[in-house]
Amino acid sequence: GRFIVSATSPADRENETEFPAALSSALAGGDSDANGDGILTLTELFQATTAGVLKLYESGNFIVKEHAELDGNGDGRGTQRPSPEDAGPASAIGLKTAGGNKKFD
């Protein structure tokens, strides 16, 4: 019954990840709120963080060794590319950011 974002999939080797740095950048950056409504949803945060991880790997010309996953509907199964079943519920929760329109009461 919980929504979970993980830095790696179970198949990834145990290693230090770039996920925390990308997550903090996604939280600090104003462009993570993709639709600009003033709510940074879990889906938007996941997508921005994943893009940030890829950017870090590309800038260092490294092979991508981590694959973040989202369980956005609480079914206990994470996925790297959230389907509407995962992305929908994860888009219903979020953090209010500066500006934008009110999405939730």
Side-chain angles (χ1 to χ4, degrees):
R2 295 182 180 167
F3 298 162
I4 297 174
V5 176
S6 67
T8 62
S9 70
D12 288 336
R13 290 185 170 193
E14 230 176 276
N15 228 340
E16 184 176 346
T17 67
E18 300 296 336
F19 191 86
L23 176 62
S24 64
S25 292
L27 285 167
D31 57 344
S32 297
D33 180 11
N35 61 6
D37 66 354
I39 302 291
L40 178 59
T41 68
L42 183 58
T43 300
E44 290 171 326
L45 182 59
F46 174 76
Q47 291 170 336
T49 303
T50 301
V53 167
L54 289 176
K55 191 180 214 179
L56 288 167
Y57 274 92
E58 288 171 358
S59 70
N61 204 25
F62 301 124
I63 296 172
V64 178
K65 294 282 191 172
E66 62 184 275
H67 305 89
E69 291 192 342
L70 170 69
D71 173 8
N73 62 4
D75 66 359
R77 294 180 300 213
T79 180
Q80 294 175 24
R81 294 187 182 106
S83 67
E85 291 81 23
D86 275 312
S91 292
I93 61 169
L95 304 168
K96 188 173 182 178
T97 61
N101 299 322
K102 188 173 181 180
K103 185 173 182 179
F104 305 108
D105 289 329

